[in-house]
Amino acid sequence: MVARNLCIVGLSHRTAPLEIRERLAFNGPEIGKALGSLKQSAKAVTEAALVSTCNRVEMVAVAADPDAACSEVISFITEQRRLERKLFERFHYRLAGRDAVRHLFRVGASLDSMVVGEPQILGQLKAAYAQAVEAGAVGLILHRAFHKAFSVAKLVRKSTAIGMGGVSVSTAAVKLARQIFDSLKDKTVLMVGAGQMAELTARSLVRLGVESLLVTNRRFERAVKLASEMGGTAVPFEHFRPYLKLADVVIGSAAVSEPLLRPDDLGPVMRERYNRPMFMIDLGVPRNFDPSINALDGVFVYDLDDLGQIAADARYEREQEAQRAEIIVEREVDSFCHWLRSLDLVPTIKAVRSRIEVLRELELKRHRSWLATLAPEDRSRVEALSRGLTNKILHQIVSELRSLGHEADAQFVAAIARRLLGAQGSDASRSSLCLREGGQGDDDPSA
Amino acid sequence: MTLLSFAALAAYLVASVAFVLDVWRPNERSMNVAIKALGLGAALQALDFVVGALVFSALPVTGFPRSLALLAWTTALAGLAIIVKFRLPLVGALVAPAVSAALGLACAGSGQNHGALPEALRSAWLPVHVTLAFLGEALFVIAAGVSFLYLIQESRLKAKRPLEIPQSRLPNLEKLDRINYQLLTCGFVLLSLAIVSGAMWAASTWGRFWSWEPVESWSLVLWLLYAALLQSRLAVGLRGRRAARLTIALFAVLLCSYVGINLFNPGKHGGSFG
């Protein structure tokens, strides 16, 4: 009996600090390659998708043996990212079966987000799914699991107020700006990098009165485009440093391997600014600004974790809505697990089918000589009669099996069914005598 | 000390309690009570001074307790103005207890009364000089309070726990820094005028502008220190945390010299300090 199981190995803002997460993050093109080589190296994993965002790095996998699969995935990720296995294991979590399904749905519904209800995660999950599909790593179960996660997210968003109004990382940043600056009108914002969240933050600041905006980005065209959209000025990435002294708010979201700005860079800038306060919002993972800049007088550096913490303080108001969302998620987890369990019955159903088909053929064979005396149309009539009879019996048995699988332990039900009919599950795939009916469609009983 | 002083003290104490409660449980009503109580205290003290002036036929400012009472009064007045003008109820939580403490000390120490003002000092210069000096000091006291708020806000932002107290309570850094600067500037102008008026008064009474009295010397020292602080703000861009710390440090010097001179060596100023 092949019980296929969903499992998840990973770490998130709940379990691991930013320092670890930023070392593990995979960017878009890397994910496809990683899934490709995972297929080669991890034998226990049959399907996989890699979710890598600022707040989480998770491998969602399907395997018969979750323990073996998790272990393979950990080896894989730590080798890919050159992280000590011990370090990874200290911060990671692994989930299997129902827990894994629930986790995936909760992530999609933004219940596991740093800021519960923030809408970005769904897009990120969709992107992760698309990348895995493209890498050919997604099979029946993951297809279904991800699509279900998307529809659960939609359902939660529609039927609870979880996404309403609340505090996101960018609004937290804006709130902080108002604790530092009295008026935003005469302030200058410098965007280093053009990440989505950075754009959101910059837009809110502009809405609140900021009139001077500088945008710099590695891809200059993108900086020009953003700047023209928001009424700012684009600055070449290579030459953005001289503009630092003008900037009261610096928003970092550039893709970097190590910090762009360090305390040594900021010291002279602050002197040139006559120590006017400076607010540095670091939305990059890995971080754009060395956190020790925060020790400088008059500079305030907030990274994603800091902002998330502040946003989380405002989160409790949404607790009520989140609880309603959890109920929805739980219901959907139930239905998905039923489906997953009914998949366990597929080999049994196949075995029962082939067993009865074998019996039918045997009977026909026994009367071969008599059948030969009949006219061709009578012969096909007898044939049809035998098939009709077995199909009627099969239909009853199979539908009973499936409904039983939803209620009770599917494996147990399957074992009884096989015993009653003298059909051995493991033989089913081998007894390829007559598998005319055991086609693709059987893999998905609900199809 | 008079009954009016005790009544004023009671009003200040009520204001202190209301202001401090308002920090933790902000609400419009307690705020109103606090501001009115502070104003009532100041009004009662003003009445007290008028009565005293009628009795002594000059502003009663001699002796440490009276000087303290006067300082409490100007601080309460200046504090009230700042709280209302800049919508800074938190300043009240610092100013009202300080004012209560000062007036409380004054009431407790009223035994060592130095009596009436010497005949030679009765002059129209007296109220001018004394008011300028004490208002200037009051502004420095409040500047120290505002600096203290700045340091709290700054350390919370640095420690990344900025939203614990409802944010409307604690103003933004830029505003606190600007208010600090304005208070220091005004205080400095008042201190300068006090010194000038004092010198003129001295010239008309004693025949010379400057006699290196303890009060005069210390005033000059403080004037130089505050001048240096303001100059660094303007020229070197001293601001924020360091400016706030220096403001508090200068306030400490001011307080020490004020207490020290009054207790040990009042000189011709007879216990007042300006």
Side-chain angles (χ1 to χ4, degrees), chain A residues 37-63:
Chain A
S37 47
L38 177 74
K39 262 202 290 195
Q40 307 277 309
S41 63
K43 295 285 171 262
V45 177
T46 56
E47 300 175 35
L50 180 57
V51 183
S52 176
T53 73
C54 308
N55 290 329
R56 65 185 69 249
V57 177
E58 283 177 353
M59 187 73 84
V60 185
V62 175

Side-chain angles (χ1 to χ4, degrees), chain B residues 237-257:
Chain B
L238 173 81
R239 66 173 80 221
R241 179 165 57 189
R242 288 176 63 203
R245 283 183 182 160
L246 282 172
T247 306
I248 292 172
L250 287 198
F251 168 68
V253 174
L254 173 73
L255 196 67
C256 289
S257 57

Side-chain angles (χ1 to χ4, degrees), chain A residues 80-312:
Chain A
Q80 285 265 318
R81 281 290 170 256
R82 290 193 196 83
L83 192 79
E84 281 170 69
R85 194 185 170 103
K86 267 205 193 110
L87 203 56
F88 183 89
E89 282 179 339
R90 207 168 95 207
F91 294 110
H92 89 310
Y93 44 81
R94 54 171 88 187
L95 304 160
R98 199 184 164 82
D99 294 336
V101 176
R102 184 187 299 114
H103 182 80
L104 182 65
F105 290 3
R106 292 187 74 243
V107 168
S110 191
L111 289 169
D112 195 52
S113 296
M114 200 178 241
V115 180
V116 172
E118 57 92 10
Q120 281 107 321
I121 183 65
L122 186 58
Q124 288 162 336
L125 205 63
K126 281 182 174 164
Y129 169 68
Q131 277 153 348
V133 169
E134 202 173 313
V138 177
L140 169 76
I141 294 180
L142 276 193
H143 273 305
R144 176 110 173 171
F146 272 92
H147 280 288
K148 194 86 183 168
F150 303 151
S151 69
V152 170
K154 248 183 244 156
L155 191 63
V156 163
R157 198 151 289 273
K158 220 168 62 184
S159 49
T160 72
I162 200 162
M164 296 296 194
V167 178
S168 72
V169 164
S170 56
T171 36
V174 171
K175 276 192 175 174
L176 280 169
R178 311 205 85 165
Q179 301 236 307
I180 297 170
F181 305 113
D182 196 27
S183 154
L184 291 173
K185 231 179 168 52
D186 54 346
K187 300 295 179 290
T188 297
V189 174
L190 169 63
M191 278 177 78
V192 181
Q196 199 185 2
M197 230 189 298
E199 190 188 326
L200 270 176
T201 310
R203 278 186 194 279
S204 337
L205 288 171
V206 168
R207 208 168 43 240
L208 288 170
V210 168
E211 281 173 359
S212 167
L213 175 73
L214 301 168
V215 187
T216 186
N217 191 45
R218 281 222 176 76
R219 272 181 48 230
F220 190 59
E221 319 87 83
R222 175 100 175 96
V224 171
K225 184 167 171 285
L226 256 186
S228 70
E229 271 175 29
M230 288 195 273
T233 311
V235 174
F237 193 76
E238 304 75 45
H239 304 121
F240 84 86
R241 275 154 207 272
Y243 293 91
L244 276 172
K245 63 170 182 284
L246 301 176
D248 303 291
V249 181
V250 187
I251 308 171
S253 64
V256 294
S257 48
E258 55 185 86
L260 277 173
L261 296 173
R262 298 185 183 280
D264 291 347
D265 303 318
L266 264 292
V269 169
M270 286 311 283
R271 273 195 296 282
E272 279 186 276
R273 287 176 55 75
Y274 286 96
N275 299 312
R276 271 175 294 130
M278 195 167 178
F279 181 28
M280 303 182 77
I281 307 167
D282 192 346
L283 302 173
V285 178
R287 281 175 287 190
N288 288 192
F289 312 136
D290 186 333
S292 56
I293 294 173
N294 193 46
L296 290 178
D297 203 358
V299 194
F300 302 88
V301 184
Y302 278 69
D303 64 30
L304 259 184
D305 268 8
D306 304 328
L307 293 169
Q309 188 56 51
I310 291 161

Side-chain angles (χ1 to χ4, degrees), chain A residues 388-402:
Chain A
L389 190 61
T390 52
N391 277 353
K392 281 249 160 61
I393 296 167
L394 266 173
H395 177 76
Q396 176 72 17
I397 292 173
V398 166
S399 60
E400 279 301 310
L401 267 178
R402 279 179 183 157

